[in-house]
Amino acid sequence: MEVTKQNGRRKFLSKLASIAGTMGAGMALGDRSSAGPKENTSPTGWPSQLVINETAPKWNPRDMPKPGEKIHEFNIEVTIEKIEILPLEEHHFYTFNKSMPGPEIRVKEGDWVKVNLTNKTHDFHTIHWHGIYVPCEMDGVPLGTQYPVGYNQTFTYLWRAQPAGTHFYHCHNMTNMHIQAGLYGALIIEPYDGEDIVQKTFPYERDYTLVLSEVDTEFLREQMNEMLMMGEMMDAMNGSKKLMAKMDGHMMGWFANKEAFLKAIKDGWVPPYHQSRTGPAMRVEPNFFLINGRPYPMTEHMHIKQGENIRVRLINAGILVHNMHLHGHDFWHVCTDGSPLATPVRMNTVPVFAGSTVDIMIQGTNPGGWHFHDHSDISLMNNGKSPGGMMTMLMYEDAEEAGFKFKEIIALDS
Amino acid sequence: MKTNQIGTTMMALAAALLPTIVLGQAQQTPIPEEPSISPQISLNGTAIGTLEYHSPRIVLPSGIKSSSSRINLSDSALMLGISERLYRKGGIGSFVIGGTTTDSDKSPSGTEFFLHKLYLDYQTHVLEGYIGRTDTGTQLVDFPTLRGDDLNEFVNVLNPFSSGENIQEHRYTNQATVVLNRNLRSFLNLHAQNLISSSQNTVGQGGINSYGVNFQYQELAAMQALKKVPLWGFGYERQTPGSGFGGANNILYGGIVYNIAPDPVDRIDLRLQDIYGFGNTTSSFVNVTDTFRAPANTIAASLRWLHSPFGKPGHQISLTAGYKSYTNIRDANTLALALTGVKRLGSGFDLVLQYTYQHRQAAYAAVYSGVRDEHSIQLGFVFNFNHTFNQHLGPRRSLMNLQHQYIPD
Ligand SMILES: [Cu+2]
């Protein structure tokens, strides 16, 4: 690959010598965190050129912390809580530290993150660090990279925060159910000071995180109960050697390998998908659509002033695509999955795919009180009734000075 | 031809009226309902069909001797349950309607359909109240026989107003009941019952003719196989036949389920129940009804082995026995046992085999056409299902409600 000549290219090469010089000969994983503004950038600092090594970790994920390096330690506990997502609409959820979503984790790129996950429920949990270059053992996939964390157990995750950007974390055990149950949270890795090209291009102070998700409260209740029943039973058997001997993988549907699975079927084990045992499975049909764990009208507003830029981080922790639309404005789509796009893209509706994150910059150009919502109208309902669901407001704090008198009205079907 | 024309006109009229009829078909309610929310609907059914051989020939409740063989369809049932969440976390409102089949020597088919459930139910965290027809308030322990009415006179507090024609009259009754609970594990049941009065001797005694109280402890469903004592309880009942009919009867009863081998794969449990009646003056048997009201002590016990490979029921073998001795009547003791085998062929579908034996002493046998020893063997299938449509309520005793604070759904 030809690297186009630019001013300061020498400096760029010296900083990234190992990478630029060894293309095609494997990746070096040296510390390049102290890199200044990248040379392949536009005058605003925006990347203007393809660097195919951009996806390589800056630090070797398999390193351990060295003395003097910053370590942020968090204790996260999973419990079952009653949460009233709307007045009178109360359900049981799994929570990280009693909140849904879980607490936002915000650290600087290159810092270490240590999380002690303690499970206080009779189900199993893990934490998957979505989008992070963790060492494989820290990836949080139950029976994939670790044993799931059982009742009263603690598992410690340790990893270095990279790459920078908007990410999230979630439980990866029975993911569909456990995310609906509330086990997800924002994970923001801020670039080193002076390296945030979004900040450079659109100077901003206020920064909003909107985690999008859905829940089918019927599915959730039934599945949670089923899993807790099994977990409760297993925890009661735990401690009795005689009983534990009976509890081979058959009971959980866990097998060492494909041969063991096939042998179990030969021995009479009926797999859960088999019609004669389960009947048609319960379909997931979300009835509440949430922004930061609450549907409209209990969502929180975003605030802006004329001339101000605000950054909005959209994280889709759910199972559907959400097409977030802002009334009365265009905005700039600046990042996807944490990394800056090749160039900011101007739009008024941005799709946020399941598992994806999108950062947008909203400019205070049109005073008022504006709706910001998923334009798939099916997500604008609470239990099938509109309006509701995935909607919030962009409120101008100085709208009145501009001559706009806005009175917020909460109008629900009667 | 003319009738035909009338028929056609009627049909046209009916067709024109149909929309109105469909919308207006719900019966009048105190506050007329707009199109209501679609409630949760549960459908629950059990079909039991067995080929039965009897020795000596079957004696029907009327005393008539029947054949030594039959196809027995009794105790099959179909129930419909309708529920909804009430306003402002106010709990759950439901009603249940259902019928069950009974033996009958009056019906040419040998089987009749009996309305065994029709009640309205109101549930909150702390209490459940229901009114209507359902299981008698005195039921404590379920025994693992093929049918709920097997060994009837040993496992149930009997109905002294029953003619004996329909066994289900001992198991289902009209009642008003309030059940208070502590943590949804301990239940205090207070009930006033209108036991079905079908005996000619008790005409005019069909009002509230039985009332009582009982206490029951129930372990979590998940712990049924693992806790030593998943269920126990006791109660007091006062039945009030008229003084010309032996007078009131006081009954004390208690029962327990004990896991000899708590184990999710090979569970062995013991069930015990004792029913002790006193205070009634009945001292001889003229007809079957007398055997339901005379003071007696009744013990029932069962030993059951449930084998659940991979945690799912596979087969069950159980021995259930009952013994009854009358306080005021000599030579009237009776005992019975049932040996029951169940093999699960599919979810809710079982192959069943049951042998039962009953011995009656002379005074007791007298009201059963003098039959002192009776054997029967049955082979057949059972199909049981439970399905919920439009689900938006969870069971009140779910683990989440039990352990993580109650939510009325
Ligand atoms: Cu989890």
Side-chain angles (χ1 to χ4, degrees):
Chain A
M1 171 179 280
E2 189 73 21
V3 180
T4 314
K5 280 193 179 181
Q6 278 187 337
N7 287 340
R9 183 173 173 227
R10 186 175 304 277
K11 190 178 163 203
F12 169 70
L13 282 177
S14 71
K15 288 286 179 194
L16 298 177
S18 54
I19 291 175
T22 55
M23 263 174 205
M27 304 304 298
L29 296 166
D31 185 346
R32 53 193 179 92
S33 59
S34 57
K38 286 172 190 153
E39 306 301 325
N40 57 333
T41 54
S42 70
T44 55
W46 209 263
S48 62
Q49 179 187 352
L50 177 68
V51 180
I52 62 162
N53 299 317
E54 201 79 45
T55 58
K58 281 185 183 172
W59 299 274
N60 185 346
R62 306 202 63 78
D63 279 350
M64 290 299 277
K66 292 185 190 72
E69 286 174 343
K70 175 107 180 138
I71 301 179
H72 304 267
E73 187 164 352
F74 304 96
N75 295 318
I76 294 186
E77 212 173 73
V78 182
T79 56
I80 296 178
E81 303 297 331
K82 280 203 302 191
I83 296 179
E84 201 166 9
I85 55 172
L86 279 176
L88 301 179
E89 200 56 51
E90 190 174 44
H91 301 276
H92 286 112
F93 291 93
Y94 290 150
T95 63
F96 289 130
N97 288 357
K98 301 193 192 310
S99 89
M100 178 179 79
E104 177 172 300
I105 295 177
R106 192 180 275 257
V107 294
K108 279 263 185 293
E109 186 183 15
D111 287 353
W112 290 88
V113 175
K114 185 177 178 186
V115 171
N116 306 307
L117 171 69
T118 302
N119 177 7
K120 292 288 185 187
T121 75
H122 286 277
D123 200 345
F124 291 100
H125 307 285
T126 65
I127 298 181
H128 168 64
W129 308 98
H130 190 100
I132 310 301
Y133 303 156
V134 293
C136 197
E137 296 88 335
M138 298 289 121
D139 199 37
V141 182
L143 302 180
T145 61
Q146 68 169 97
Y147 286 105
V149 184
Y151 177 60
N152 257 340
Q153 291 180 331
T154 299
F155 185 94
T156 298
Y157 293 95
L158 177 66
W159 43 266
R160 195 161 204 173
Q162 61 173 331
T166 303
H167 305 289
F168 68 110
Y169 62 96
H170 63 82
C171 176
H172 221 313
N173 188 48
M174 294 186 69
T175 319
N176 182 11
M177 191 269 270
H178 285 227
I179 289 184
Q180 288 192 55
L183 295 182
Y184 56 89
L187 169 55
I188 313 296
I189 301 182
E190 294 176 331
Y192 267 30
D193 290 341
E195 271 202 9
D196 189 345
I197 55 168
V198 177
Q199 178 67 262
K200 275 187 191 164
T201 316
F202 305 92
Y204 68 89
E205 275 170 13
R206 290 196 270 196
D207 178 338
Y208 291 92
T209 304
L210 273 58
V211 189
L212 315 177
S213 70
E214 318 84 7
V215 58
D216 174 341
T217 51
E218 313 309 321
F219 169 85
L220 177 62
R221 182 191 56 239
E222 295 305 307
Q223 289 260 306
M224 257 173 99
N225 261 319
E226 206 171 298
M227 293 322 295
L228 289 169
M229 289 259 280
M230 186 186 278
E232 182 89 14
M233 212 171 121
M234 289 173 67
D235 289 325
M237 290 165 72
N238 205 352
S240 157
K241 263 191 182 159
K242 186 183 142 248
L243 291 179
M244 287 309 281
K246 297 249 183 181
M247 199 170 62
D248 50 15
H250 292 106
M251 271 201 181
M252 291 294 294
W254 291 355
F255 305 98
N257 50 39
K258 203 184 276 178
E259 283 68 38
F261 166 65
L262 293 173
K263 184 178 180 303
I265 293 203
K266 236 178 154 181
D267 292 346
W269 181 73
V270 184
Y273 52 77
H274 190 46
Q275 182 79 7
S276 70
R277 178 163 142 189
T278 63
M282 194 170 180
R283 275 169 41 196
V284 178
E285 290 170 356
N287 53 343
F288 290 101
F289 302 85
L290 316 175
I291 297 178
N292 293 338
R294 301 293 183 277
Y296 179 85
M298 298 312 288
T299 47
E300 282 183 19
H301 293 166
M302 301 184 295
H303 298 277
I304 197 167
K305 282 186 181 137
Q306 293 178 70
E308 182 186 1
N309 298 324
I310 61 167
R311 181 173 188 160
V312 179
R313 303 170 187 267
L314 302 166
I315 298 171
N316 188 347
I319 51 177
L320 304 174
V321 183
H322 297 294
N323 304 294
M324 300 307 291
H325 171 65
L326 177 60
H327 290 204
H329 296 71
D330 280 345
F331 52 73
W332 293 98
H333 177 188
V334 289
C335 301
T336 284
D337 296 344
S339 3
L341 303 181
T343 177
V345 179
R346 183 179 151 182
M347 45 187 17
N348 60 46
T349 306
V350 61
V352 190
F353 297 102
S356 193
T357 75
V358 165
D359 290 25
I360 60 173
M361 292 304 308
I362 300 175
Q363 296 165 304
T365 54
N366 188 0
W370 301 98
H371 291 81
F372 182 52
H373 61 92
D374 183 2
H375 215 284
S376 324
D377 290 331
I378 197 164
S379 306
L380 289 181
M381 299 197 281
N382 293 333
N383 239 347
K385 297 283 183 186
S386 298
M390 201 168 276
M391 175 158 77
T392 182
M393 303 290 293
L394 176 69
M395 304 300 287
Y396 275 74
E397 290 168 339
D398 53 359
E400 236 171 284
E401 292 154 36
F404 176 78
K405 286 204 177 91
F406 181 77
K407 250 175 136 183
E408 195 196 357
I409 296 166
I410 304 288
L412 300 176
D413 261 8
S414 66
Chain B
M1 196 64 184
K2 202 170 183 183
T3 43
N4 222 342
Q5 273 173 356
I6 292 170
T8 312
T9 315
M10 291 293 283
M11 275 170 67
L13 195 62
L17 287 174
L18 197 59
T20 330
I21 291 165
V22 169
L23 283 176
Q25 72 190 356
Q27 290 174 27
Q28 193 182 340
T29 54
I31 303 175
E33 208 47 60
E34 300 167 39
S36 70
I37 65 141
S38 181
Q40 175 170 307
I41 300 169
S42 300
L43 199 58
N44 180 295
T46 306
I48 308 176
T50 55
L51 175 63
E52 181 173 339
Y53 175 77
H54 225 80
S55 168
R57 285 163 58 191
I58 296 166
V59 181
L60 294 170
S62 58
I64 299 164
K65 285 205 175 189
S66 178
S67 162
S68 62
S69 65
R70 66 172 163 178
I71 306 290
N72 188 343
L73 300 173
S74 67
D75 211 34
S76 298
L78 194 61
M79 281 186 285
L80 182 68
I82 312 287
S83 307
E84 69 169 26
R85 271 173 87 166
L86 303 177
Y87 292 145
R88 308 196 68 83
K89 302 183 190 175
I92 301 167
S94 342
F95 92 86
V96 176
I97 185 165
T100 184
T101 53
T102 67
D103 285 341
S104 174
D105 54 336
K106 286 184 299 189
S107 123
S109 60
T111 297
E112 276 185 350
F113 211 53
F114 169 73
L115 183 79
H116 74 311
K117 302 259 174 177
L118 176 54
Y119 65 95
L120 289 105
D121 185 296
Y122 169 71
Q123 300 180 44
T124 66
H125 185 194
V126 292
L127 68 82
E128 177 174 13
Y130 47 93
I131 190 156
R133 179 173 297 180
T134 184
D135 300 5
T136 51
T138 47
Q139 287 185 20
L140 268 190
V141 178
D142 278 335
F143 286 89
T145 51
L146 172 54
R147 292 184 173 84
D149 54 12
D150 288 330
L151 269 53
N152 172 59
E153 64 236 68
F154 303 93
V155 300
N156 293 312
V157 172
L158 298 175
N159 172 1
F161 306 94
S162 171
S163 66
E165 191 85 17
N166 175 5
I167 283 189
Q168 309 295 10
E169 289 173 0
H170 298 290
R171 300 175 61 215
Y172 304 103
T173 177
N174 298 338
Q175 63 192 276
T177 299
V178 174
V179 185
L180 304 168
N181 78 81
R182 229 183 113 231
N183 303 325
L184 291 164
R185 284 177 177 79
S186 304
F187 300 87
L188 185 69
N189 177 313
L190 304 152
H191 55 258
Q193 310 198 94
N194 167 8
L195 297 174
I196 297 167
S197 178
S198 56
S199 166
Q200 290 191 344
N201 299 326
T202 60
V203 172
Q205 299 180 20
I208 298 300
N209 51 20
S210 180
Y211 50 88
V213 54
N214 68 50
F215 173 86
Q216 199 175 122
Y217 175 82
Q218 282 178 36
E219 193 42 78
L220 303 177
M223 293 290 122
Q224 289 290 324
L226 295 176
K227 289 277 182 194
K228 274 283 179 192
V229 182
L231 186 144
W232 62 273
F234 57 89
Y236 163 75
E237 187 77 8
R238 181 173 172 85
Q239 300 177 335
T240 58
S243 53
F245 193 57
N249 193 8
N250 296 311
I251 296 159
L252 288 174
Y253 55 99
I256 187 169
V257 178
Y258 178 77
N259 279 318
I260 295 171
D263 186 330
V265 176
D266 288 294
R267 176 179 176 189
I268 301 173
D269 64 28
L270 183 72
R271 280 143 206 264
L272 265 178
Q273 183 177 273
D274 190 88
I275 301 168
Y276 184 76
F278 54 95
N280 182 298
T281 60
T282 308
S283 58
S284 66
F285 296 151
V286 176
N287 53 37
V288 177
T289 306
D290 295 334
T291 69
F292 304 149
R293 63 195 179 99
N297 186 38
T298 311
I299 304 171
S302 75
L303 189 63
R304 174 181 83 130
W305 170 47
L306 171 61
H307 178 62
S308 307
F310 321 120
K312 301 279 171 196
H315 60 254
Q316 174 171 299
I317 295 169
S318 59
L319 181 67
T320 308
Y323 176 76
K324 182 167 196 143
S325 65
Y326 286 91
T327 321
N328 303 336
I329 303 165
R330 290 167 55 106
D331 205 24
N333 298 349
T334 177
L335 66 87
L337 46 92
L339 184 62
T340 315
V342 181
K343 165 104 183 103
R344 178 137 292 188
L345 302 178
S347 180
F349 194 85
D350 302 326
L351 176 69
V352 291
L353 178 68
Q354 178 167 280
Y355 164 76
T356 55
Y357 167 71
Q358 183 165 5
H359 172 74
R360 304 180 183 96
Q361 287 189 331
Y364 193 74
V367 294
Y368 286 92
S369 302
V371 176
R372 298 190 62 152
D373 292 285
E374 204 171 341
H375 305 261
S376 83
I377 187 146
Q378 299 183 65
L379 177 67
F381 299 108
V382 174
F383 194 177
N384 185 293
F385 78 93
N386 189 2
H387 189 73
T388 301
F389 302 90
N390 193 25
Q391 180 161 29
H392 56 279
L393 302 166
R396 193 165 70 128
R397 291 190 77 239
S398 72
L399 262 180
M400 291 186 299
N401 279 342
L402 284 166
Q403 297 184 333
H404 307 282
Q405 303 173 300
Y406 176 75
I407 289 180
D409 74 355

